[in-house]
Amino acid sequence: MRKISLVFAFLLLPMTSFAAGPFDGIYSFNFNGALGGYASIYEDDTNNMIAVLLEPNPNDTTWEAISGVRNGNDVTLRSIAGTVILDVSVSFIDSNTGTATINSCAGDCDFPNGTVLDINRIF
């Protein structure tokens, strides 16, 4: 019982976490001005980046997890989980904006190969 109490006490303590990457955050991605979805992007201290892509439609519960290693302002992210097999190249223009190019997508894809999406950090 003492161990369980200690675990709960530890979990309730306020803790501060810091983003490791300069591009960490929540982004919207847009195609021709229309919202295409959201991406939650995070990076560790060795430039390994992971993104979780979410649909903007509340009735569509599909999501994708993609990962890759950032080199400068560029990263190629590939599927690790989800409903499609995705390969996308992301170029960050600055810490708030960038572009994402769909290199390939297999399955029920929202965008055809070659589509360029604008990405904008929400927070």
Side-chain angles (χ1 to χ4, degrees):
M1 185 66 177
R2 179 182 247 178
K3 288 182 183 179
I4 293 174
S5 298
L6 189 59
V7 168
F8 282 119
F10 178 73
L11 291 174
L12 295 175
L13 291 174
M15 292 185 273
T16 304
S17 66
F18 298 97
F23 305 111
D24 287 5
I26 307 296
Y27 290 79
S28 65
F29 52 92
N30 306 287
F31 180 67
N32 290 334
L35 178 64
Y38 299 98
S40 179
I41 299 175
Y42 296 96
E43 182 178 3
D44 67 14
D45 57 359
T46 61
N47 295 345
N48 289 306
M49 186 175 277
I50 189 165
V52 177
L53 310 176
L54 303 169
E55 298 285 336
N57 181 348
N59 296 320
D60 186 344
T61 59
T62 60
W63 58 275
E64 312 303 324
I66 53 180
S67 71
V69 178
R70 182 177 60 85
N71 184 8
N73 289 352
D74 301 315
V75 61
T76 298
L77 301 166
R78 293 182 177 90
S79 291
I80 55 174
T83 58
V84 298
I85 300 170
L86 181 63
D87 181 302
V88 60
S89 294
V90 178
S91 294
F92 294 96
I93 297 168
D94 54 37
S95 62
N96 292 313
T97 61
T99 59
T101 303
I102 308 296
N103 299 323
S104 66
C105 185
D108 188 17
C109 304
D110 291 337
F111 302 101
N113 296 346
T115 301
V116 178
L117 304 165
D118 295 317
I119 61 172
N120 298 291
R121 186 190 316 232
I122 299 170
F123 59 89

